[in-house]
Amino acid sequence: MANAFDVIVIGAGPAGYVAAIRCAQLGLKTACVEKWLDDSGNPKLGGTCLNVGCIPTKALLDSSERFEAMKLHGAEHGIVAEGLSADIPTMIARKDKVVSELTGGIEQLFKANGIEWLQGTGRVLPEKTVEVTAVDGSTSQATAANIIIATGSTPINIPPAPLFEDIVVDNAGALAWDSVPKTLGVIGAGVIGLEFGSVWRRLGSEVTVIEAQTDFLSVADKAIAKAALRGFQKQGLDIRLGALVKGTERTKDGVVISYTDAKGEQQITVDRLIVAVGRRPHTHNIAADELELLLDERGFVHVDHNCQTNVPNVWAIGDVVRGPMLAHKGAEEGVAVAERIAGKHGHINYDAIPNVIYTHPEISWVGKTEEEVKAEGIDYKVGSFPYAASGRAKAINETEGTVKVLARADNNRIIGVHIYGAQSSEILAQAVIAIEMEGTLDDLASTIFAHPTLSEGFHEAVLAADGRAIHVANRKKR
Ligand code: FAD
Ligand code: NAD
């Protein structure tokens, strides 16, 4: 007789583990199937985000940022640090400790909530059954009234740049290097390319980023992307746009990358190479053929607005379904699906999902870009405020960047906020709340912001949209 649950979640990344915890909180008997093994073969919860994604990258971004800040700006603050150097194995060990504390934390939360961890690879079978294949190949079965697929995503590999040992790597490989490559190539100037490119450049690599598109960060607001590109180039990231990789060859000198751009055929040689050209949904063998689980044209599990698949009582959430591949998006879908299974109302506002690229300065946005607003024919107001005019930014030596606010002209509703600037990921939360609560320019204009904070820049950008910013000259006065 198969083990019987109310809910089985397949995958324990931020979408799956959050769904499992919320299900358990709602009184549902819950199991979670997870197959992740770390480099030593130990089973781990937390998925891509905790093991090789959000968390380890932020740990290394922080270590490398502190190093660079001390190297470039310590003296300006009157801090003298002679013989400053980066101890890479210590940085990597700190990152590993952060990861293992957090993955261990999820394990504790599973225990505290009575969630059963079924270790192995899950597959949905007919009759609301999940088959679990353990590492040793043995199989077992469990049933559940509802099944949630949260199997996440994996890096896309491209034929011109096959991975090789620790020389040509994806995000997981680039988190494990214990020395700084003298020269580093990155294919893809997306989120991963910019975050990893920043880490290794700060630690001393000469970094060249090769990007197929001619527009830099085409998903971001154009003015913000332009400012960020200028900033990264000034920092020394060599970003080559409109460059299509044709092949890579390993030689005794490193990796030769051949690409074509507007000028014709080009080659560069680097010591190591990171391939960061996007991720694809992880759907391999997740359901028996007879269930006819529908995938969409891009290979994502097809779901409706409520994350329901075409198979009754089978749901799917996170990177394996449409929408941005972001941990918080998956986690919110997990909560919403748990609530729906428990007969409650699950809410997600896909128009208010925050995006952050954790470079320095950070790029953060929520809602529509100015280009989208124009394309949709919306009559709008726009206001921006430079970090250079912020007292706090001056005090902390972070004057690069801009806050930009977009609002509908007819009712002043905030519809987009875009920031390139230090700590903008934290400022962004205020913009997300404003959009979620259908806030207007007037609501924010009459809100008091603490002085001196970087958040005042958001307030001033709101005021600027009405031509009444205090700390910059306005184009039109009100
Ligand atoms: P995943 O985290 O991929 O988890 C899926 C889990 O399912 C995995 O543990 C996998 O082992 C398991 N699994 C798959 N198939 C099976 C099966 N058949 N049986 C059992 N288990 C299975 N997002 C952010 O929001 N902020 C960031 O700062 C950020 N940084 C990132 C940095 C990097 C380098 C990368 C690669 C990604 C980053 N992301 C970030 C994206 C984020 O990691 C993903 O959006 C998020 O992990 C998706 O969550 P998920 O639960 O859907 O999938
Ligand atoms: P991405 O989609 O952000 O960027 C990939 C880039 O590679 C694109 O600019 C694309 O034009 C380029 N590209 C594709 N094929 C190419 C080729 N053959 N040659 C040159 N360039 C090519 O993908 P990513 O950076 O791999 O990240 C994957 C996902 O992980 C993203 O969806 C992102 O949301 C998520 N992620 C998020 C964060 C964060 O939230 N801070 C951090 C890292 C990753």
Side-chain angles (χ1 to χ4, degrees):
M1 176 72 181
N3 216 349
F5 295 92
D6 295 322
V7 181
I8 297 178
V9 185
I10 306 180
Y17 85 70
V18 170
I21 291 173
R22 188 68 191 124
C23 284
Q25 284 175 345
L26 290 164
L28 300 164
K29 188 179 175 205
T30 306
C32 184
V33 190
E34 175 55 66
K35 66 184 173 97
W36 194 288
L37 300 176
D38 70 10
D39 291 343
S40 312
N42 300 312
K44 291 284 169 192
L45 298 171
T48 303
C49 172
L50 268 69
N51 289 288
V52 292
C54 323
I55 297 300
T57 49
K58 269 79 243 178
L60 287 186
L61 278 158
D62 187 64
S63 297
S64 59
E65 194 177 322
R66 285 166 192 260
F67 173 66
E68 184 167 74
M70 192 57 77
K71 192 170 79 175
L72 298 184
H73 304 294
E76 292 163 28
H77 290 271
I79 302 169
V80 182
E82 276 161 14
L84 190 74
S85 65
D87 171 355
I88 309 300
T90 299
M91 280 187 193
I92 299 291
R94 189 192 80 89
K95 177 263 298 174
D96 290 341
K97 185 163 174 276
V98 170
V99 168
S100 88
E101 283 173 4
L102 288 173
T103 54
I106 307 297
E107 222 174 310
Q108 292 308 317
L109 286 172
F110 270 25
K111 283 191 187 130
N113 284 284
I115 298 163
E116 197 165 324
W117 176 5
L118 307 175
Q119 290 179 8
T121 303
R123 182 161 174 261
V124 188
L125 302 180
E127 310 291 337
K128 299 180 178 178
T129 301
V130 173
E131 177 189 66
V132 181
T133 306
V135 190
D136 63 7
S138 62
T139 61
S140 57
Q141 291 191 352
T143 59
N146 284 278
I147 296 166
I148 305 175
I149 298 172
T151 48
S153 63
T154 51
I156 292 175
N157 296 315
I158 50 170
L163 303 189
F164 179 76
E165 294 178 351
D166 63 348
I167 307 289
V168 183
V169 299
D170 59 17
N171 56 292
L175 284 165
W177 288 334
D178 60 4
S179 62
V180 181
K182 189 167 175 311
T183 52
L184 171 64
V186 181
I187 306 181
V191 196
I192 294 180
L194 292 172
E195 290 187 357
F196 278 91
S198 297
V199 165
W200 292 105
R201 182 201 56 72
R202 291 170 192 163
L203 296 176
S205 279
E206 276 169 43
V207 180
T208 308
V209 186
I210 297 173
E211 166 59 48
Q213 292 188 53
T214 46
D215 279 344
F216 178 66
L217 275 184
S218 57
V219 287
D221 184 273
K222 230 186 181 112
I224 294 291
K226 199 172 153 195
L229 177 61
R230 251 196 330 263
F232 299 149
Q233 285 172 332
K234 214 166 61 195
Q235 291 171 6
L237 272 186
D238 179 354
I239 300 174
R240 303 187 184 181
L241 299 172
L244 208 59
V245 175
K246 293 294 177 191
T248 52
E249 192 190 345
R250 274 174 289 109
T251 67
K252 64 174 178 24
D253 297 324
V255 184
V256 181
I257 309 168
S258 306
Y259 65 92
T260 53
D261 63 11
K263 292 192 205 120
E265 294 191 2
Q266 314 277 352
Q267 275 194 343
I268 55 162
T269 302
V270 290
D271 293 333
R272 289 186 208 160
L273 175 61
I274 300 174
V275 182
V277 294
R279 297 177 64 84
R280 62 161 52 97
H282 188 177
T283 55
H284 176 67
N285 209 20
I286 52 169
D289 290 347
E290 57 266 46
L291 283 173
E292 295 185 352
L293 178 73
L294 205 61
L295 304 185
D296 69 18
E297 64 284 355
R298 292 165 60 219
F300 292 86
V301 175
H302 175 80
V303 286
D304 65 12
H305 196 71
N306 291 329
C307 293
Q308 248 165 334
T309 72
N310 65 312
V311 181
N313 300 92
V314 177
W315 310 72
I317 56 175
D319 277 12
V320 80
V321 303
R322 82 291 174 258
M325 287 183 164
L326 294 171
H328 42 278
K329 174 264 191 186
E332 284 309 306
E333 287 179 333
V335 170
V337 165
E339 306 262 344
R340 285 170 196 143
I341 289 174
K344 294 173 179 288
H345 176 71
H347 164 84
I348 297 180
N349 180 359
Y350 287 97
D351 291 332
I353 297 179
N355 288 269
V356 178
I357 305 178
Y358 295 85
T359 45
H360 187 80
E362 293 173 342
I363 306 169
S364 308
W365 73 93
V366 59
K368 296 178 195 300
T369 63
E370 188 165 359
E371 292 68 45
E372 285 168 341
V373 171
K374 278 186 187 153
E376 290 175 30
I378 298 171
D379 194 12
Y380 68 99
K381 295 179 178 176
V382 56
S384 42
F385 187 77
Y387 267 58
S390 152
R392 182 63 182 275
K394 273 244 184 282
I396 63 171
N397 210 5
E398 294 288 0
T399 50
E400 183 174 344
T402 312
V403 187
K404 174 172 172 181
V405 172
L406 298 158
R408 292 187 68 97
D410 53 359
N411 58 11
N412 275 354
R413 279 257 307 269
I414 312 278
I415 50 175
V417 176
H418 306 268
I419 316 173
Y420 169 60
Q423 298 172 35
S424 59
S425 55
E426 300 297 337
I427 302 170
L428 187 72
Q430 304 160 39
V432 177
I433 294 169
I435 290 184
E436 180 63 32
M437 297 198 166
E438 304 187 352
T440 63
L441 292 175
D442 319 279
D443 294 328
L444 288 168
S446 57
T447 302
I448 302 174
F449 287 68
H451 176 74
T453 56
L454 295 177
S455 296
E456 287 174 297
F458 176 41
H459 193 216
E460 290 270 10
V462 164
L463 296 174
D466 262 337
R468 57 190 187 107
I470 302 295
H471 292 93
V472 279
N474 294 288
R475 270 192 241 132
K476 56 181 172 139
K477 294 218 167 36
R478 294 254 164 127

